[in-house]
Amino acid sequence: MTETTHNNATTPATGERADILEALAKQRHFLRFTTRDLTDEQAGQRTTVSELCLGGLIKHVTSVERHWAEFILHGPSAMPDFTAMTEKDWAARADEFRMLPGETLAGVLAAYEEVAARTDELVTTLPDLNVTHLLPKAPWNEPGARMSARRVLMHVVAETAQHSGHADIIREALDGAKSMG
């Protein structure tokens, strides 16, 4: 059973909420594990033809999780209108996928931990996982489509798992280390 602390009181997460927290924790662990024993330079290194690096993947997953948690609480206003984004907006978004000058792996991981803790608290305290909101405007979202908090959390698990797989490939190409096997 997973527990969370609120105002010095511990509330156990049970059933579906415990399952969500366990799935999130497992996928987050695998993503973080790919960065074990790396330097900041290694975390920012591209090892494939992709623009992706390990630190950038963690930055991206942090941003995704932060935005979806805000979406659960505030609806589509918490997300950008992707249909109105400019080239400058897309360029800024691309910075999520790389380590920028002055960024450290420790800082990227700390930001991820902070967002994860906030999401975990949301999972245990949200009154209803059935709450739905209209999805933000985006070319990939059907106009008028809605998503429940439950489905958002499942999406965050899937997104984290997908990028954990990307991270595993990047890490193996970097120095041969594997997350499993």
Side-chain angles (χ1 to χ4, degrees):
M1 181 179 337
T2 304
E3 296 183 345
T4 187
T5 303
H6 304 283
N7 301 327
N8 299 324
T10 301
T11 306
T14 60
E16 176 183 32
R17 291 172 193 259
D19 290 345
I20 291 168
L21 291 172
E22 183 179 335
L24 283 167
K26 183 177 184 178
Q27 297 310 319
R28 289 174 183 145
H29 164 75
F30 281 121
L31 180 58
R32 286 190 309 265
F33 188 65
T34 62
T35 67
R36 69 196 177 284
D37 304 322
L38 292 181
T39 65
D40 294 338
E41 182 181 315
Q42 289 171 311
Q45 187 175 339
R46 291 175 43 209
T47 62
T48 69
V49 296
S50 167
E51 290 289 324
L52 301 175
C53 66
L54 293 171
L57 278 173
I58 292 173
K59 284 176 55 179
H60 171 67
V61 172
T62 300
S63 176
V64 166
E65 188 167 323
R66 178 185 306 112
H67 280 100
W68 280 115
E70 287 296 316
F71 173 83
I72 289 171
L73 293 171
H74 306 291
S77 66
M79 305 276 259
D81 176 349
F82 292 97
T83 63
M85 287 178 64
T86 65
E87 283 186 39
K88 183 178 178 182
D89 296 329
W90 286 111
R93 186 168 168 83
D95 284 344
E96 286 181 4
F97 291 95
R98 58 182 151 260
M99 296 275 291
L100 300 176
E103 291 181 329
T104 65
L105 179 57
V108 167
L109 289 168
Y112 188 39
E113 288 297 319
E114 184 179 311
V115 167
R118 185 166 181 259
T119 302
D120 288 353
E121 182 176 353
L122 180 62
V123 170
T124 60
T125 60
L126 191 68
D128 185 0
L129 293 178
N130 291 318
V131 64
T132 65
H133 297 292
L134 286 171
L135 288 173
K137 290 182 182 178
W140 50 86
N141 289 335
E142 184 179 320
R146 302 181 69 82
M147 191 179 282
S148 69
R150 175 183 294 99
R151 284 188 52 216
V152 166
L153 294 165
M154 290 171 31
H155 173 72
V156 171
V157 170
E159 177 100 4
T160 306
Q162 177 180 357
H163 289 309
S164 179
H166 295 145
D168 201 34
I169 292 167
I170 292 168
R171 178 61 191 259
E172 188 172 357
L174 179 67
D175 63 3
K178 299 177 184 178
S179 295
M180 299 175 77

